[in-house]
Amino acid sequence: GSMKNGIPERVADELYEKMLFFSGYGFNASHAVSYAIDSYYCAWLLTYFEEEWLCAYLESMSGNDEKRSKAFSEVKALGYKIVNIDINYATKSWTILEGKRFMPSFLSCKGVGESAVNVITEARENLPDKKFTSIEDFFENVDPRKINKKVIECLIKAGAFDGFGAHRAQLMAGYQKFL
């Protein structure tokens, strides 16, 4: 192709040899620089915005069981605790709580979709204290037509209603009266 464009064969060969030589280290060098910049940003964020960075880290590992397990270990090694989902605090993403605690998102519960999360968080936002006071309060404020039985069961099993003092077995046996 070079010779068709008027470049002498000797020059084309020399240019090709130089490109071949560069390819042996050029990609690695640029990749190393990019990786170093990313590492610096992560270290800076971890230093000055530790909780926020760790929360984002946990969120990014949510879709992979193996990586999530490693992330949990690393976060716990830094003195943080991962707590159960709570109906009054969980959202669509991980939540930072006082006392070096993180809470998974509602979406980490299999069977709980984004539309159900929207219904719960909107109902919570309309409450005077932005919190449900009891399981009864939850069912009075959340439209049961928009949240199905499976969602409620998944939330009970995940411990989302544990803060109300009822045992999960009792809730599983009696929640249908509210629906």
Side-chain angles (χ1 to χ4, degrees), residues 35-50:
Y35 193 79
I37 291 169
D38 283 348
S39 296
Y40 174 81
Y41 287 152
C42 288
W44 188 86
L45 289 168
L46 182 59
T47 301
Y48 296 103
F49 299 95
E50 183 177 74

Side-chain angles (χ1 to χ4, degrees), residues 25-39:
Y25 72 88
F27 170 78
N28 294 335
S30 65
H31 181 75
V33 169
S34 299
Y35 193 79
I37 291 169
D38 283 348
S39 296

